Amino acid sequence: MELTLEHKIYLACWRVRKIHKEIELADYQRVMKHYDPDIPAFDIILNEVDRITQEISDLDKMIASV
């Protein structure tokens, strides 16, 4: 199946969003290396990492479906 221009645009946008999410995830992972799990903010950071990881997974599925 040949992709239409609209599909190519969506695919490009999803790939860019995925790259930005991967950069954001790497930033959070760097911060986590310096935090102690006893700090209350650590749970917030873990939740953000989980959320970002899920978003990357969703974007992967969307990209693969095209």
Side-chain angles (χ1 to χ4, degrees):
M1 174 179 109
E2 175 125 5
L3 295 178
T4 65
L5 180 58
E6 184 177 6
H7 285 108
K8 289 178 183 178
I9 291 169
Y10 277 116
L11 190 56
C13 289
W14 291 337
R15 286 179 175 156
V16 169
R17 284 182 62 194
K18 182 183 174 204
I19 290 168
H20 283 274
K21 290 297 173 183
E22 289 171 341
I23 292 168
E24 187 177 1
L25 179 60
D27 289 343
Y28 274 103
Q29 289 172 333
R30 275 193 297 277
V31 168
M32 283 179 57
K33 289 179 185 178
H34 303 288
Y35 269 78
D36 184 350
D38 295 330
I39 297 173
F42 194 78
D43 289 336
I44 295 169
I45 293 170
L46 280 179
N47 290 337
E48 279 300 300
V49 167
D50 287 341
R51 183 187 62 77
I52 295 167
T53 303
Q54 183 60 47
E55 287 181 28
I56 291 171
S57 176
D58 293 343
L59 287 165
D60 279 335
K61 290 175 188 172
M62 291 167 57
I63 291 167
S65 71
V66 174

